[in-house]
Amino acid sequence: MSSLSAPLASILLVPFLLGTANAAGNADHGKIIFQQSCAICHATGDVTQPQGGQGPLLAGIVGRPAGSLASYGYTKALAASHLMWDDATLDKFLASPTTVVPGTNMVVPTTSATDRHDLIAYLATLKALGPSARKSAKTHSGTAGDWQNDAPGNIHRIDLTKLPAPYATASAGNFPKTVDRPPGANPVVPEGFQVKLFLSDLSGPRMMRTAPNGDIFIAETRQGRIRVLRAPDGAEAPTENSVFAEGLPAPSGIAFYPVQGEPKWVYIGNTNSVVRYRYQNGDLKATGPAETVVAKLTGSKGGHSTRDIVFSDDGKRMFVAVGSGSNVAEGLPDKSPAEIKAWEKSTALGAAWGAETDRASVLVFDPEGHNLHFFATGIRNAVGLAIQPANGKLWVSTNERDDLGDDLVPDYISHIQEGGFYGWPWYYFGNHEDPRHAGKRPDLAGKAIVPDVPVQAHSASLQLTFYPQNANGSAAFAKNYRGDIFAALHGSWNRTGRTGSKVIRIHLQDGKAAGEYEDFMTGFVVDDGHVWGRPVGVTVAHDGALLVSDDANGTLWRIAPAKK
């Protein structure tokens, strides 16, 4: 499942004047640009995928106001923009989306004027669909993975021996529409805990990390900035709220270095680079310009755009997650067995090529951005990374592929092995072959590693964090939570009955997962078509409270043991 996440859910809304776009550009070249950079989030009206991806359908919206398709839940910023798209406005939007519409989910620009004009020319050729093709699937499917079966303490386990066949159900286009938080509504947490609104009026808060001194760093990805909050132990609201850095291209991952002792740098994972700022404990604003550590992570544009980063316990390795450029490597050119062997000799087992070069993988560098190599491949979109404190293992929270039906393919949270191949795009969960690549990689049969914890398909698992073993603050959780994983599920678009939009807990026994997960924070879903919150980031505050960010309504929640 994609996310802005998970990506970022693109809002490439393109009503514009038909004809002038054709005169301005080359539609054939524009189609190629669309397939490479836009198709993971948007459909064009092709009958095989009439609803598109997690962004709105682009067919039949020529001449309409921005945010006008009834079947899609737009950001509040887009819906309130009152823009009518013509060639000039669309060109400006594609060149700098967040300048034209601050707060839009479309954060990756198309920098080439020629590419923009050609893309507009192609989109101008798309025709409107009939009313029946535009209907969103919002009928409750009544399966165990649906939101009605969520409640704190409920256990979920996906039996991999009973995965449905591909296309057992139709691929749904059930986009969540965000509504305002109902009066008095709060998320629901287990008995013995209390949850309170910590901060509101943020702009799409996503990934978070707690600095060594206890400050909370938050990526406001849509606005291209990093915010820092400060709150004394036990405080139920921050006392300091400052923009640490801004003007960044879709920042997501945040990491402090060195990992032991006093930090000297804060690293930021942008959509196609890694930068760092000089940092001392307590800095509320960057004291100098960003220093580029990795100038370019991948040569292709579009696709999954979030880049989480973490350091190994010894500080010698920097891990960077780079999601795929497409759903399932559509249009990937074939290679002969000899070509594949040569390619993998210079890359890694299962590494994709073409527009997917260096993507769908976790890359590893030294802290200076040198000595690049693959840590693991075949991971469609590892939105969240975390190091397990007990043993130094690297864990990922992964969005799997779409369009195979309501219950395929499960997302997952898992430790990953160095040199491991996890299936994408040819296989999933071991030896299940993706029918869209049937027979193309028999050499990989039986080589895909099965992840630890499958999560309901299309949940859009995002950030994960380990609850510290040594938590001793005033809001510390009980000992049976120590060392466990908490993870945010952003919520589905490609499923008939809504799933996700919650925080889960994975209990670890002797550092290992048993393949199941438990609901911890629920209550954001109104019905199959509407939500009032979509969790993204999770981090543990200095006092032991769990903080959760929601990018739908721009809120931050604090969960702590109930006061006696």
Side-chain angles (χ1 to χ4, degrees):
M1 170 65 218
S2 304
S3 71
L4 181 144
S5 6
L8 300 166
S10 167
I11 306 287
L12 197 148
L13 309 166
V14 290
F16 45 83
L17 297 179
L18 187 63
T20 56
N22 279 319
N26 183 323
D28 290 337
H29 181 238
K31 183 177 182 179
I32 295 173
I33 297 169
F34 179 89
Q35 292 171 337
Q36 293 176 341
S37 302
C38 311
I40 192 171
C41 288
H42 300 278
T44 61
D46 186 291
V47 294
T48 63
Q49 193 193 6
Q51 292 300 331
Q54 59 181 318
L57 182 69
L58 300 187
I61 56 175
V62 172
R64 294 181 184 176
S68 60
L69 293 180
S71 62
Y72 185 75
Y74 299 100
T75 59
K76 293 180 179 179
L78 205 305
S81 68
H82 304 298
L83 292 175
M84 177 65 72
W85 299 102
D86 57 22
D87 283 358
T89 303
L90 178 63
D91 184 68
K92 291 177 181 178
F93 178 75
L94 293 174
S96 184
T98 56
T99 299
V100 177
V101 184
T104 179
N105 277 343
M106 172 67 176
V107 297
V108 181
T110 302
T111 56
S112 165
T114 299
D115 286 354
R116 293 195 301 272
H117 297 164
D118 291 350
L119 181 58
I120 292 170
Y122 167 64
L123 292 170
T125 68
L126 304 179
K127 305 300 181 182
L129 299 179
S132 62
R134 288 199 303 266
K135 290 181 181 178
S136 290
K138 293 183 180 177
T139 303
H140 176 221
S141 62
T143 67
D146 292 347
W147 64 275
Q148 288 95 332
N149 298 308
D150 291 345
N154 283 2
I155 302 293
H156 303 271
R157 174 185 285 272
I158 295 175
D159 187 345
L160 297 179
T161 68
K162 297 181 180 179
L163 287 179
Y167 311 117
T169 59
S171 180
N174 185 11
F175 310 109
K177 291 187 177 181
T178 301
V179 298
D180 290 336
R181 177 189 172 201
N186 266 5
V188 184
V189 294
E191 185 177 354
F193 288 89
Q194 61 181 5
V195 56
K196 292 187 177 182
L197 183 65
F198 189 68
L199 186 64
S200 59
D201 297 324
L202 294 167
S203 182
R206 290 184 61 84
M207 307 289 271
M208 302 189 294
R209 288 262 155 69
T210 302
N213 76 324
D215 288 344
I216 307 300
F217 279 64
I218 306 174
E220 290 183 299
T221 305
R222 301 171 189 165
Q223 298 291 355
R225 66 190 177 211
I226 303 296
R227 184 174 296 277
V228 59
L229 308 175
R230 179 171 296 165
D233 286 1
E236 296 181 352
T239 56
E240 297 279 354
N241 184 341
S242 177
V243 173
F244 180 81
E246 54 191 336
L248 297 165
S252 182
I254 304 166
F256 299 91
Y257 185 83
V259 294
Q260 305 293 336
E262 293 287 321
K264 296 180 180 179
W265 301 94
V266 56
Y267 282 66
I268 308 296
N270 296 320
T271 193
N272 201 24
S273 66
V274 177
V275 300
R276 65 185 181 185
Y277 292 92
R278 291 196 176 275
Y279 174 77
Q280 292 182 340
N281 277 332
D283 285 351
L284 294 173
K285 292 182 180 293
T287 57
E291 177 181 309
T292 299
V293 179
V294 181
K296 185 169 70 173
L297 291 167
T298 176
S300 61
K301 302 176 183 178
H304 295 112
S305 58
T306 58
R307 307 287 181 253
D308 202 7
I309 53 177
V310 294
F311 288 95
S312 60
D313 279 344
D314 61 10
K316 295 180 179 180
R317 300 200 285 181
M318 177 178 68
F319 303 101
V320 183
V322 181
S324 67
S326 61
N327 176 35
V328 64
E330 298 88 345
L332 190 72
D334 291 336
K335 284 182 178 289
S336 69
E339 290 173 326
I340 290 173
K341 185 176 181 180
W343 173 256
E344 291 187 341
K345 186 176 181 180
S346 64
T347 54
L349 178 69
W353 51 84
E356 298 294 347
T357 299
D358 293 338
R359 305 195 69 155
S361 60
V362 175
L363 306 177
V364 60
F365 305 81
D366 65 28
E368 300 301 316
H370 304 143
N371 301 314
L372 163 67
H373 62 279
F374 289 89
F375 186 81
T377 57
I379 303 173
R380 180 177 177 268
N381 188 23
V383 182
L385 300 177
I387 297 292
Q388 187 172 4
N391 53 30
K393 291 182 179 179
L394 179 65
W395 285 67
V396 298
S397 175
T398 300
N399 289 190
E400 256 292 352
R401 65 206 85 181
D402 298 319
D403 299 332
L404 290 181
D406 278 354
D407 297 316
L408 286 181
V409 169
D411 291 341
Y412 60 84
I413 294 170
S414 181
H415 87 284
I416 57 172
Q417 300 176 26
E418 185 162 9
F421 168 63
Y422 288 81
W424 188 91
W426 297 282
Y427 294 87
Y428 58 89
F429 281 89
N431 210 28
H432 294 86
E433 188 174 36
D434 193 303
R436 295 161 292 193
H437 292 286
K440 292 185 178 180
R441 291 298 304 271
D443 57 303
L444 292 176
K447 294 182 180 179
I449 297 171
V450 178
D452 296 329
V453 184
V455 175
Q456 172 59 57
H458 314 301
S459 293
S461 57
L462 300 187
Q463 191 173 12
L464 76 158
T465 191
F466 287 89
Y467 197 87
Q469 289 280 4
N470 60 351
N472 59 6
S474 59
F477 288 16
K479 289 184 178 180
N480 60 311
Y481 288 94
R482 310 288 173 87
D484 287 354
I485 293 171
F486 289 91
L489 307 186
H490 200 219
S492 60
W493 71 264
N494 193 216
R495 195 170 191 277
T496 308
R498 189 151 311 286
T499 193
S501 294
K502 60 183 179 181
V503 174
I504 62 172
R505 170 199 180 194
I506 298 174
H507 178 62
L508 301 181
Q509 186 69 39
D510 297 324
K512 298 180 180 179
E516 61 187 27
Y517 59 96
E518 173 185 334
D519 294 339
F520 185 77
M521 180 186 190
T522 64
F524 288 111
V525 182
V526 177
D527 55 38
D528 276 334
H530 301 82
V531 300
W532 63 270
R534 304 189 74 190
V536 178
V538 286
T539 193
V540 179
H542 183 264
D543 63 2
L546 185 71
L547 299 180
V548 179
S549 67
D550 148 45
D551 71 343
N553 269 313
T555 57
L556 188 60
W557 296 88
R558 181 180 184 270
I559 305 169
K563 295 180 179 179
K564 298 179 180 179

